[in-house]
Amino acid sequence: MNDQTIRDVLSRTKRIALVGASDRADRPSYGVMKFLLDQGYEVIPVSPKLAGQQLLGQTAYASLADIPGKVDMVDVFRNAEAAWGVAQEAIAIGADTLWLQLGVINEQAAVLARDAGMTVIMDRCPKIEIPRLGITP
């Protein structure tokens, strides 16, 4: 994945669904969600366990299909095996980008999403990429 593609995705993205959100401040998903909110993105936590609750001031949903309105990017904090199902859900809701976090590598999910017209970024973290690329959303 080249820097220009990452820069383009992060510059055009406004609304992010964060799949695998956690209410535990020591979890990477919590820190990334807080960082993205601080950068001005709208971040929607997705976690069946947290559905209906508030996380960092945002209402959590059980699944991508439950989120009202358009989602630009689906940021995946689930294991690699779960990425296939998340990719299917991301396609179903018409998301533009499937972002698989550091260590989440699933080539089949990436192919599925790309074939559906999505941009796919894999094994990267926006909390790292935004400052590295000097992006201001």
Side-chain angles (χ1 to χ4, degrees), residues 17-23 33 43-64 66-68:
L18 196 140
V19 177
S22 174
D23 57 357
M33 181 175 168
V43 184
I44 302 141
V46 179
S47 168
K49 181 183 123 192
L50 301 175
Q53 298 178 42
Q54 293 288 304
L55 180 61
L56 295 169
Q58 310 302 308
T59 301
Y61 293 88
S63 71
L64 292 175
D66 294 336
I67 299 170

Side-chain angles (χ1 to χ4, degrees), residues 66-129:
D66 294 336
I67 299 170
K70 171 91 168 101
V71 170
D72 300 316
M73 183 171 95
V74 175
D75 189 2
V76 184
F77 277 91
R78 299 277 317 277
N79 63 38
E81 294 77 36
W84 173 264
V86 176
Q88 290 176 310
E89 291 178 45
I91 292 164
I93 66 164
D96 301 320
T97 302
L98 179 67
W99 187 299
L100 303 180
Q101 276 292 331
L102 290 172
V104 182
I105 300 168
N106 185 318
E107 293 297 341
Q108 293 83 4
V111 168
L112 180 72
R114 280 190 199 104
D115 286 351
M118 296 178 74
T119 301
V120 177
I121 298 172
M122 187 164 40
D123 197 26
R124 301 281 182 118
C125 179
K127 186 177 176 183
I128 294 169
E129 299 302 320

